[in-house]
C-alpha cells in the first residue's frame, strides 16, 4: 500500500497534497466514529467515486485493500464468535473505507509533494527544535525502504531455507537487523555524498570520519 | 585536480591505508586490488566521506578536512549498491533530491531533472517507483542523480558488481560518454578499456601505478600469487 504512485491526469491528482492529507485525517476521524450504516454507505460511495475520478483501475484499487483482508477477516470473525457480528461488520466496513481513502491519497500524490506539505505544516514548530526537513526526509525514506527491507527479509529467508531452516522468527530477526544497520550506514554515507546537510554545517573539522563512514569500507 | 598528501587511515587497530601520496589528474583512472586492500576506503577519501587519520586530501586546493561540503559538489560518488543510494520512492523525486540540496527549486529544478532523465534514457521511467526498476536501471538512476549535480569528478565504487552483462554494458556506455573525470574501483577489467591510468592497491599500499596494461598485469599477478 505504500509508495505506489499511480500516474494519471485527474482532478484528484491535481489537488494540493496538503488538502488531500487534511481530508484523509478528518475523513478517517469521522468514518471511524460513524455508526450509521446509511452515512457509511455514502462515505463508501464517495470514496469509490473518487477512485473513478482519479482514473485508478479497479484491480489497482482492490490490490490496496487485499493485504489487510486477513486482519479485517479476523476482526469480524472474533466479533461473530462472541455474538457481536453486527459490530464486527461495522468495524470492518469502517476500516475498509478508511484504508481505501488512505490508498487514494498515496496513489494520487507523489511522496515528495506529501513531504513538502508535511514540511510546511511542521514549520511553526521550528522554534521548539523540530526540524521539518529532517522529519520529511525520514518519512519519505521510511516509505522508500519498505520494499528494500522486504527484499532483504526475503533474501535472508531464502538463504535459511537453502540451509534447512524452514521457519523461525528469531533466526530471521538477527541477520535482518544486522543487514538493516549496515544498510543504514551506507545510506547515511550516500546522503552525505549527495550533498544532504540538515545543519548547514561543514561535516567535519576533526580527524574523525563523517558519521556513516566509520566502519571499514567494503573492498 | 585531486592531491593526496601522505594520507594514512586506520579503523581501530587496523591500518587500512598507509602513507598514500599521489596526484589524480587523468580523465580516466581505474583502481584495482583484492578485497580488503583499501581501495574503497581510498576512494572515500576523495570526497571527504572518510577523513584521513593523518595527511591530507586536496580537491582543487580545497581540503576535505575543512571544505567537505564544497568538495562533495565537485566530486560525485556512485556506490556499489544503488538501493542504498536511492532515497526517494519515485525516479523523478530521487533525481531531484541532490539538486534540492544544491538549492534548486521550481522550474530550474524541473528542467535539470528532465535533462538528466533524458540524457540517461530514464525519461519513460520518470513516474515509476524506484523499487520496480531493474538493477541496471537503478544504477543508471544513481549515476544520473550524481551527474545531475554537475560534479567535475565522478568516483564509482564497483558500480557493475551487481549487474548482468547487458546492464554492465549500459553503465559502461554511460560512463564512456561522460565529460567528467572518472575514478572507478572495479574488479571488472573490461571496464578499464580506454582508461589513462590504473592504480593497484595491496594491503593499504599502492603497489603499481601507471599505464593500464602494466597495472592490470600486476593485479592479475597478485591474484594468482
Amino acid at each position: 500500500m505504500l509508495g505506489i504512485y499511480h500516474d494519471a491526469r485527474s482532478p484528484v491528482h491535481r489537488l494540493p497534497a496538503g488538502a488531500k492529507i487534511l481530508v484523509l485525517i478528518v475523513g478517517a476521524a469521522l468514518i471511524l466514529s460513524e455508526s450509521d450504516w446509511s452515512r457509511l454507505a455514502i462515505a463508501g460511495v464517495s470514496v469509490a467515486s473518487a477512485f473513478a475520478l482519479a482514473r485508478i483501475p479497479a484491480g489497482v484499487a482492490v490490490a490496496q485493500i487485499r493485504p489487510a483482508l486477513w486482519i479485517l477477516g479476523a476482526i469480524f470473525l472474533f466479533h461473530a464468535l462472541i455474538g457481536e457480528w453486527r459490530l464486527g461488520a461495522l468495524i470492518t466496513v469502517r476500516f475498509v473505507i478508511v484504508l481505501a481513502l488512505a490508498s487514494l491519497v498515496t496513489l494520487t500524490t507523489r511522496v515528495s509533494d506529501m513531504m513538502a506539505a508535511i514540511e510546511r505544516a511542521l514549520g511553526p514548530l521550528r522554534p521548539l527544535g523540530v526540524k521539518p526537513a529532517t522529519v520529511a526526509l525520514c518519512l519519505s525514506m521510511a516509505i522508500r525502504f519498505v520494499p528494500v527491507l522486504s527484499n532483504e527479509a526475503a533474501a535472508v529467508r531464502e538463504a535459511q531455507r537453502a540451509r534447512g531452516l524452514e521457519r523461525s522468527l528469531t533466526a530471521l530477526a538477527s541477520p535482518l537487523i544486522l543487514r538493516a544497520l549496515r544498510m543504514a550506514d551506507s545510506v547515511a554515507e550516500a546522503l552525505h555524498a549527495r550533498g544532504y546537510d540538515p545543519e548547514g554545517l561543514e561535516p567535519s573539522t576533526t580527524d574523525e570520519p563523517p558519521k556513516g563512514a566509520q566502519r571499514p569500507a567494503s573492498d | 585536480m585531486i592531491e593526496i598528501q601522505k594520507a594514512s587511515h586506520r579503523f581501530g587497530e587496523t591500518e587500512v591505508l598507509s602513507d598514500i601520496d599521489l596526484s589524480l589528474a587523468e580523465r580516466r583512472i581505474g583502481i584495482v586490488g583484492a578485497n580488503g586492500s583499501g581501495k574503497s576506503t581510498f576512494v572515500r577519501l576523495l570526497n571527504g566521506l572518510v577523513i584521513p587519520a593523518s595527511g591530507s586530501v586536496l580537491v582543487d586546493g580545497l581540503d576535505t578536512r575543512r571544505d567537505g561540503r564544497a568538495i562533495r559538489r565537485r566530486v560525485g560518488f556512485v556506490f556499489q549498491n544503488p538501493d542504498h543510494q536511492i532515497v526517494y520512492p519515485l525516479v523523478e523525486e530521487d533525481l531531484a533530491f541532490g539538486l534540492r540540496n544544491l538549492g534548486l527549486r521550481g522550474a530550474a529544478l524541473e528542467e535539470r531533472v528532465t535533462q538528466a532523465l533524458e540524457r540517461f534514457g530514464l525519461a519513460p521511467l520518470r513516474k515509476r517507483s524506484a523499487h520496480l526498476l531493474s538493477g541496471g536501471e537503478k544504477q543508471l538512476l544513481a549515476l544520473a542523480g550524481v551527474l545531475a549535480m554537475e560534479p567535475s569528478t565522478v568516483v564509482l565504487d564497483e558500480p557493475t558488481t551487481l549487474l548482468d552483462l547487458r546492464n554492465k554494458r549500459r553503465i559502461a556506455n554511460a560512463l564512456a560518454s561522460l565529460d567528467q573525470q572518472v575514478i572507478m574501483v572495479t574488479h571488472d577489467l573490461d571496464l578499464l578499456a580506454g582508461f589513462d591510468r590504473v592504480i593497484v592497491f595491496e594491503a593499504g599500499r599502492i603497489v603499481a601505478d601507471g599505464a593500464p596494461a602494466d597495472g592490470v598485469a600486476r593485479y592479475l599477478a597478485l591474484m594468482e600469487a
Side-chain angles (χ1 to χ4, degrees), chain A residues 110 112 189 203-204 218-219, chain B residues 40 44 49 65 72 92-93:
Chain A
R110 297 186 316 170
S112 56
E189 225 181 12
S204 175
S218 61
D219 286 309
Chain B
S40 286
R44 279 164 171 76
L49 286 174
R65 190 166 278 118
R72 278 187 279 279
E92 65 174 0
E93 293 174 324

Side-chain angles (χ1 to χ4, degrees), chain A residues 141-155 176 183 187, chain B residues 81-84 86 130-131 138:
Chain A
M141 283 176 57
I143 295 170
R144 154 74 184 128
F145 281 96
V146 166
V148 177
L149 281 171
S150 165
N151 286 346
E152 290 288 332
L176 188 59
M183 191 192 303
V187 173
Chain B
N81 188 343
D83 262 331
H84 298 174
I86 298 169
H131 78 273
K138 283 181 187 173

Side-chain angles (χ1 to χ4, degrees), chain B residues 88-140:
Chain B
Y88 266 87
L90 281 190
V91 167
E92 65 174 0
E93 293 174 324
D94 190 72
L95 242 164
F97 173 71
L99 295 170
R100 279 181 198 279
N101 292 334
L102 290 181
L104 266 73
R105 298 287 185 275
L109 175 66
E110 280 293 312
E111 193 183 328
R112 286 275 284 273
V113 168
T114 303
Q115 279 173 1
L117 288 168
E118 283 172 359
R119 181 176 177 194
F120 290 95
L122 293 169
L125 307 173
R126 182 176 187 133
K127 305 278 183 189
R128 184 82 61 90
S129 286
H131 78 273
L132 297 178
L133 302 181
S134 71
E137 288 165 345
K138 283 181 187 173
Q139 195 57 282
L140 273 177

Side-chain angles (χ1 to χ4, degrees), chain B residues 15-215:
Chain B
E15 186 160 61
V16 287
L17 289 173
S18 305
D19 212 19
I20 306 293
D21 208 22
L22 77 171
S23 297
L24 303 173
E26 293 78 2
R27 280 190 71 244
R28 297 287 184 266
I29 300 173
I31 312 284
V32 295
N35 292 335
S37 60
K39 57 192 188 302
S40 286
T41 304
F42 170 73
V43 289
R44 279 164 171 76
L45 293 178
L46 305 181
N47 73 342
L49 286 174
V50 170
I51 306 293
S54 63
S56 56
V57 178
L58 305 177
V59 178
D60 297 335
L62 300 170
D63 192 325
T64 58
R65 190 166 278 118
R66 287 190 304 273
D67 310 306
R69 195 148 51 109
I71 285 170
R72 278 187 279 279
R73 290 184 177 203
R74 292 164 191 246
V75 182
F77 201 103
V78 178
F79 294 81
Q80 184 186 98
N81 188 343
D83 262 331
H84 298 174
Q85 183 160 354
I86 298 169
V87 294
Y88 266 87
L90 281 190
V91 167
E92 65 174 0
E93 293 174 324
D94 190 72
L95 242 164
F97 173 71
L99 295 170
R100 279 181 198 279
N101 292 334
L102 290 181
L104 266 73
R105 298 287 185 275
L109 175 66
E110 280 293 312
E111 193 183 328
R112 286 275 284 273
V113 168
T114 303
Q115 279 173 1
L117 288 168
E118 283 172 359
R119 181 176 177 194
F120 290 95
L122 293 169
L125 307 173
R126 182 176 187 133
K127 305 278 183 189
R128 184 82 61 90
S129 286
H131 78 273
L132 297 178
L133 302 181
S134 71
E137 288 165 345
K138 283 181 187 173
Q139 195 57 282
L140 273 177
L141 173 59
L143 183 59
V146 167
L147 289 168
M149 297 170 74
E150 297 181 351
S152 52
T153 297
V154 186
V155 177
L156 304 102
D157 187 9
E158 299 184 40
T160 60
T161 300
L162 305 175
L163 304 182
D164 62 21
L165 188 58
R166 180 188 298 160
N167 284 312
K168 271 182 194 174
R169 285 183 180 152
R170 286 180 79 179
I171 296 295
N173 290 339
L175 292 176
S177 70
L178 299 183
D179 296 327
Q180 282 93 344
Q181 182 185 34
V182 171
I183 300 172
M184 179 165 58
V185 173
T186 186
H187 293 292
D188 187 345
L189 302 180
D190 292 342
L191 284 178
L192 300 175
F195 270 47
D196 305 308
R197 177 181 177 186
V198 167
I199 300 170
V200 186
F201 276 79
E202 174 71 3
R205 294 177 184 278
I206 293 171
V207 293
D209 179 2
D214 299 337

